[in-house]
Amino acid sequence: MKKYIALVLTLVFLGCSSGSDKPDPQPTDEGKDRSVMLKALAENVIIPSYDQFKTKFDLMSAKSKAFTAKPDSQTLTEFRSAWTDAYVAWQRVELFDFGPAEKQIIRNFFNIYPASEAGIAANITDPTSSLEVPASYPTQGFPALDYLINGLGANDTSILAHYTTDKDAAKKLAYITRVIARMDSLLGKVISDWKGEYLNTFISKTGLDIGSSTSLMVNGSVLHYERYIRSGKFGIPSGAMASGIPAPEKVEAFYKKDISKTLAQTAHKAYVDFFNGRHAVTGQAGPGLKNYLDALGAKDSGTGKLLTESINAQFQTAAAKLDVLKPNLYEEVKTNNQAMKDTYTEMQKAVRMLKVDMTSAMSITITYTDNDGD
C-alpha cells in the first residue's frame, strides 16, 4: 500500500511539474504589435503615396520639357497645370519626413518658401552654383518653379518674353531643367530606399527607443503638423506666431495664390488620413497610430474618452476653420486675418494632443525642439 501511495504521489508531482514548465498561453493583441502597424503604414500608405506623387511629378517633368523646347502660351499653360497637380500631390508625402526623406533632406529642397528671387537670379547667372547647400533651399523645388512660371512678369506675355526674347532666355530655360532634374534625382533615391532594404529595416525596428521606427515616425509626423502645417501655412503668414506681425508674402504658392488653400487642405487631410491609417488608394482605415493608441487604452485625461476620439474631433474642428477660408490665403491674411488666426488656434490644440498626450501614451520621447512654447 505504501508503495502504491508513493507511486500515485510521484505521478501527480510529475504531472504538475510538466504543466508548470509550459507558461500559460498569452492573449495576442494585434493592435499593440508595432510591426503590424509599421508594415501597414509603409505598404498601404507611404509607398503608394509616393507612387501617386511620382506619377504627377513625371507628368510635370514631361510638360516642363515641352515648355523648355518650345516656350509658348500652350506649353506654359500645360506646364503650370501639371505643376499645380504635382504640388498638391506633394502635400500627401511631405509628412513622411523620416527615414529616406530625412536622409535626403527632401522637404528642404522641395518646399522651402518664400522663394528667394535674388538667389534664383544668381543661380541662373551661374550654372555651376551649388544646389546642395542650405542657402540654396529657397532657390529650388516647387516654390522656385512657382516664381519661374508664375512670377517673372505681370502677365503671360511678359513671362514668356523672359524665355523667348530676353538675353538670358536660354539660361532661364536651363535653370528650370536643372531644378526639375535635381528634384527627380532626390525623389528617385527616396522611393528606391523605401522599396529596397529600408522597408525591412523600418518594419523590424519595433522598439520605442529614439532610433526606433515608431519614434522616428512619430517625431517626424508631429513635427510636420506643428511646424509645416500649423506654423508654416497659418501661424507665420497670419502673424499668430511670436512676432504678431502678419506676413502675407510668406504664404505657400505666393505667385499662384489661388491654390494656397488647396495645398493646406490637402496637407491637413493627408495628416488625418495617416493618423487613422487610411490606405492611400482605397481610403480604407487600417493599422496605424489610431489603432495602436486604442489598443493601449489611451484616454483623454480631461474627458475620459478615448484619446483618438478627442484628437480626431480636434482635427475636424481645425478642418472646419480651414474649409471656410477663401482659396487665396494671401488675401485672407490681408482682409480676413482673424479667420487665419482662428485656424492656427485650433491646429495648436491638436498639436498639444499629438505632441504631449499621444507621445506620453506611447512612451515616445520628442527629440526635436520648437521655441513657441508647446
Side-chain angles (χ1 to χ4, degrees):
M1 176 63 70
K2 291 181 179 179
K3 291 182 179 179
Y4 176 77
I5 293 173
L7 177 61
V8 170
L9 290 174
T10 299
L11 290 173
V12 170
F13 175 78
L14 289 174
C16 291
S17 297
S18 176
S20 65
D21 287 342
K22 297 179 181 179
D24 292 334
Q26 296 296 316
T28 58
D29 187 342
E30 188 176 90
K32 292 183 181 178
D33 187 342
R34 287 187 291 275
S35 66
V36 171
M37 173 182 70
L38 295 170
K39 179 179 174 64
L41 288 175
E43 296 182 346
N44 298 339
V45 183
I46 298 172
I47 292 175
S49 293
Y50 272 121
D51 285 341
Q52 290 171 342
F53 172 57
K54 184 67 163 61
T55 298
K56 298 294 186 180
F57 179 87
D58 286 347
L59 179 59
M60 180 184 75
S61 178
K63 295 300 182 181
S64 76
K65 290 176 182 177
F67 174 73
T68 55
K70 183 185 178 185
D72 58 26
S73 180
Q74 179 178 341
T75 56
L76 176 61
T77 297
E78 292 178 354
F79 183 14
R80 281 173 173 162
S81 178
W83 168 83
T84 298
D85 289 345
Y87 206 176
V88 171
W90 163 253
Q91 305 295 320
R92 300 189 186 100
V93 299
E94 187 174 352
L95 70 112
F96 308 137
D97 196 43
F98 46 86
E102 185 179 22
K103 175 183 175 183
Q104 299 299 332
I105 324 176
I106 192 171
R107 174 199 280 128
N108 290 7
F109 291 116
F110 269 52
N111 198 30
I112 294 299
Y113 55 91
S116 171
E117 296 181 9
I120 293 170
N123 286 347
I124 289 172
T125 301
D126 179 12
T128 65
S129 59
S130 176
L131 295 183
E132 300 181 3
V133 297
S136 72
Y137 292 160
T139 69
Q140 55 191 300
F142 286 106
L145 292 173
D146 183 19
Y147 171 62
L148 291 168
I149 62 178
N150 297 309
L152 279 179
N155 52 50
D156 287 2
T157 300
S158 177
I159 291 172
L160 284 170
H162 280 272
Y163 297 107
T164 54
T165 59
D166 187 87
K167 64 181 179 61
D168 290 326
K171 290 183 178 180
K172 291 173 182 176
L173 291 169
Y175 192 63
I176 289 176
T177 299
R178 186 183 177 198
V179 167
I180 291 181
R182 173 150 175 77
M183 294 173 76
D184 185 48
S185 174
L186 291 170
L187 178 60
K189 291 175 183 178
V190 171
I191 293 177
S192 177
D193 281 355
W194 269 112
K195 293 184 176 182
E197 293 183 3
Y198 184 75
L199 176 60
N200 291 329
T201 299
F202 181 74
I203 296 171
S204 66
K205 295 179 70 173
T206 59
L208 292 173
D209 57 284
I210 290 175
S212 68
S213 295
T214 302
S215 176
L216 294 173
M217 177 180 69
V218 169
N219 269 277
S221 62
V222 173
L223 171 65
H224 175 75
Y225 191 91
E226 178 179 16
R227 189 176 297 171
Y228 296 97
I229 298 180
R230 180 209 63 167
S231 299
K233 299 180 193 299
F234 296 96
I236 293 173
S238 71
M241 301 292 287
S243 70
I245 302 173
E249 72 281 1
K250 293 184 178 180
V251 299
E252 195 170 19
F254 174 72
Y255 306 97
K256 180 62 176 166
K257 301 177 183 68
D258 59 354
I259 68 167
S260 51
K261 176 186 172 181
T262 297
L263 297 177
Q265 284 178 308
T266 304
H268 194 266
K269 184 178 185 302
Y271 194 93
V272 175
D273 287 347
F274 176 73
F275 176 81
N276 288 288
R278 295 195 178 282
H279 196 293
V281 177
T282 68
Q284 183 70 36
L289 295 174
K290 178 186 181 300
N291 282 11
Y292 182 64
L293 286 166
D294 287 347
L296 293 177
K299 298 292 180 65
D300 182 334
S301 60
T303 65
K305 296 180 180 179
L306 285 174
L307 178 59
T308 58
E309 289 183 10
S310 296
I311 291 175
N312 271 318
Q314 190 56 45
F315 281 153
Q316 290 179 359
T317 301
K321 293 291 185 182
L322 199 171
D323 290 346
V324 298
L325 296 171
K326 295 183 176 64
N328 185 330
L329 297 187
Y330 174 88
E331 289 298 329
E332 287 292 79
V333 172
K334 300 190 75 171
T335 64
N336 189 31
N337 198 34
Q338 188 56 50
M340 289 285 288
K341 290 182 177 181
D342 290 345
T343 304
Y344 166 86
T345 297
E346 296 304 329
M347 289 183 175
Q348 171 62 8
K349 294 176 184 177
V351 167
R352 291 195 185 100
M353 292 180 176
L354 296 169
K355 192 176 181 180
V356 180
D357 300 337
M358 180 179 76
T359 58
S360 177
M362 295 177 68
S363 300
I364 294 292
T365 299
I366 287 293
T367 57
Y368 70 88
T369 57
D370 213 275
N371 60 3
D372 62 358
D374 293 324

